[in-house]
Amino acid sequence: MINNKELNLNGCDEPCSIERGMRILGGKWKASILWHLKDGPVRFNELSRMLGGASKKMVDQRLKELEVQGLVTREVICDRPIAVTYEITEFGRTALAILEKLKDWTEESDF
């Protein structure tokens, strides 16, 4: 007993809710991508520039994962040369409140 609360020492067969959430948002660059899409659709190259240290290959991989998860949509706006935009979905927008709290927590801390 710690602070009159029992510790949960029992494991579970499936990932807990926190672990499942981290699998969705926790991949490198995923949260940043969602954050940069919050104000409207962004073209791939512009998004890559916004992310700075991410390679285009990494951005492409993370966007594909986010699209499969239903957090972003991809729209081809031109075939030659290929140009696409990405937009956050309504489901993706539900993560923005979490990201806002994370941003606030980080800014209030000395990290």
Side-chain angles (χ1 to χ4, degrees), residues 82-101:
I82 187 75
V84 297
T85 61
Y86 290 88
E87 187 170 10
I88 193 167
T89 64
E90 286 304 313
F91 176 55
R93 287 195 173 284
T94 63
L96 293 177
I98 298 163
L99 297 178
E100 181 74 36
K101 286 183 187 237

Side-chain angles (χ1 to χ4, degrees), residues 40-82:
V42 179
R43 290 180 62 164
F44 177 83
N45 286 331
E46 182 182 354
L47 183 58
S48 292
R49 281 190 296 276
M50 289 172 157
L51 295 171
S55 69
K56 287 188 176 189
K57 180 179 178 182
M58 177 63 73
V59 175
D60 183 58
Q61 286 175 329
R62 294 302 179 246
L63 283 165
K64 286 178 181 173
E65 291 170 12
L66 290 166
E67 189 176 9
V68 166
Q69 293 168 322
L71 296 165
V72 302
T73 57
R74 175 182 187 265
E75 181 182 353
V76 176
I77 56 175
C78 184
D79 288 333
R80 294 190 186 230
I82 187 75

Side-chain angles (χ1 to χ4, degrees), residues 102-110:
L102 180 62
K103 179 178 115 9
D104 292 345
W105 177 73
T106 304
E107 289 173 352
E108 292 167 6
S109 304
D110 290 330

